[in-house]
Amino acid sequence: MDPIRQVKLDMFPFLRVYDDGHVERLLGTTVVPPSLDHATGVSSKDVVINPSTGLSARLYLPSTNPSSEQKLLPLLVYYHGGAFCIESAASPTYHHYLNSLASEADIAIVSVEYRRAPEHPLPIAYDDSLEALIWAVKGHAEPWLRDHVDRTRVFLAGDSAGANICHNIAMSGGGGVQIEGVVLVHPYFWGSTDTTEEALSEEERAKHDKMWRFVCPTSEGVDDPRVNPLAEGAPSLAGLGCERVLVCEAEKDFLRGRGRTYCEGLKRSGWKGTAEFVETEGEGHVFHLFNPECENAKVLMKRMMSFFNNDK
């Protein structure tokens, strides 16, 4: 009889790690296949980017009118959230949301299936995400991207941990890719000092400190610039490699102060781009994914559409 497995590390509500190395994910495990979405007319398909690592992505392409002259679409490279350890590009939550976003914004999307902690701790997700960006913009073999995308109009977007990935890719220089804009939705940033909008107990703070060390065990702590871009000694935000930034926060999200101070720090840094901060009243963390049909989610969608279309 096999011995009974014991829980080695409980990271509820995300996952549990057992003494034999097995990882039990408690959230974000449901997946759906790519398809033609009849509600939006958006087509999707899965592609393998790097067979040796398993890096892949789900591509979304809005419907085109064959009777009109084909136009090239802006490209959005999207990074899903989930604390670097749960959720997926194939999650029904993200699949539904990105179908809607591709249709409403008339934009092609590459949703990246990066490898997750703890089996693949950070910085692997950062490395995968950068590799996917370079592939999407500089590779020419994938016909959906080759035939339908304007590679001079490239955007990054993500929510929570995915927004953190966006920031780190832009700070790295994007592998030489010229990035027009970055959208950070409820970004996951952290640090050893509370913002003025945080009121966390020592137990709550310790839980969040532990989470960062769990997904990035080689980090020296929560003032690592990858999770605290405003930490003492962090690289100047003046080096952020894009032209425009939109930071979106939610009033009831305890992380909202991090996004606000990030945006303020970006403006003070000497960065030459333009940054905007928007906050949704009465909503919590990633509310637009949990309740995409609510009025506030529709307003946020329209704001992102305007950003991608550079509406004044």
Side-chain angles (χ1 to χ4, degrees):
M1 180 181 295
D2 292 335
I4 298 175
R5 289 186 308 200
Q6 300 293 322
V7 175
K8 179 181 178 181
L9 189 62
D10 193 338
M11 300 301 295
F12 183 85
F14 300 109
L15 48 73
R16 296 188 182 100
V17 181
Y18 292 84
D19 55 2
D20 63 356
H22 174 72
V23 177
E24 178 190 16
R25 287 183 166 82
L26 307 175
L27 293 172
T29 58
T30 304
V31 298
V32 294
S35 62
L36 169 62
D37 183 64
H38 294 289
T40 61
V42 173
S43 298
S44 57
K45 68 176 177 179
D46 292 338
V47 296
V48 175
I49 296 172
N50 187 336
S52 67
T53 63
L55 173 62
S56 65
R58 178 160 293 183
L59 275 54
Y60 295 85
L61 189 66
S63 60
T64 57
N65 184 351
S67 64
S68 62
E69 184 178 349
Q70 178 177 308
K71 67 173 181 178
L72 295 178
L73 302 172
L75 173 65
L76 170 62
V77 180
Y78 192 90
Y79 304 105
H80 69 79
F84 299 104
C85 61
I86 62 169
E87 285 294 355
S88 163
S91 156
T93 300
Y94 286 101
H95 186 70
H96 173 79
Y97 176 69
L98 294 179
N99 272 321
S100 297
L101 183 59
S103 174
E104 294 290 337
D106 199 22
I107 193 167
I109 300 176
V110 173
S111 179
V112 180
E113 182 74 339
Y114 54 84
R115 287 173 290 171
R116 301 169 300 182
E119 301 94 330
H120 305 285
L122 292 177
I124 289 176
Y126 296 137
D127 296 338
D128 282 355
S129 297
L130 178 59
E131 182 179 354
L133 170 64
I134 295 170
W135 170 86
V137 177
K138 297 187 176 182
H140 299 283
E142 169 49 52
W144 280 17
L145 301 179
R146 181 191 64 219
D147 299 339
H148 298 283
V149 164
D150 180 353
R151 297 168 191 260
T152 69
R153 298 207 64 214
V154 178
F155 296 88
L156 306 182
D159 63 278
S160 196
N164 175 287
I165 291 173
C166 289
H167 159 76
N168 280 284
I169 287 179
M171 284 298 293
S172 75
V177 172
Q178 183 174 347
I179 302 168
E180 180 175 335
V182 174
V183 180
L184 307 180
V185 182
H186 311 165
Y188 169 60
F189 295 131
W190 196 236
S192 61
T193 304
D194 287 352
T195 68
T196 57
E197 298 174 69
E198 289 172 4
L200 299 178
S201 67
E202 290 186 11
E203 181 180 3
E204 289 173 316
R205 167 161 285 285
K207 179 180 70 173
H208 293 291
D209 289 356
K210 180 181 179 182
M211 191 67 204
W212 170 251
R213 291 182 171 89
F214 172 70
V215 299
C216 191
T218 58
S219 173
E220 294 184 358
V222 295
D223 286 325
D224 184 317
R226 291 170 292 187
V227 74
N228 184 2
L230 299 176
E232 183 177 353
S236 171
L237 293 179
L240 194 71
C242 62
E243 301 170 18
R244 297 186 286 130
V245 170
L246 174 64
V247 181
C248 306
E249 284 293 1
E251 180 187 15
K252 294 183 178 180
D253 186 350
F254 77 96
L255 290 172
R256 74 187 186 281
R258 302 281 173 180
R260 185 186 300 278
T261 55
Y262 173 87
C263 194
E264 293 170 350
L266 185 57
K267 291 177 179 179
R268 293 194 307 267
S269 69
W271 177 63
K272 302 302 183 182
T274 57
E276 182 179 357
F277 178 86
V278 297
E279 183 174 302
T280 304
E281 294 183 358
E283 302 289 0
H285 192 64
V286 297
F287 74 92
H288 61 298
L289 299 176
F290 298 133
N291 191 10
E293 300 305 319
C294 74
E295 188 59 32
N296 280 336
K298 294 176 181 178
V299 170
L300 180 59
M301 176 77 76
K302 290 179 180 177
R303 183 64 195 86
M304 293 177 68
M305 289 165 49
S306 297
F307 184 83
F308 297 138
N309 289 288
N310 202 11
D311 293 340
K312 304 299 184 182

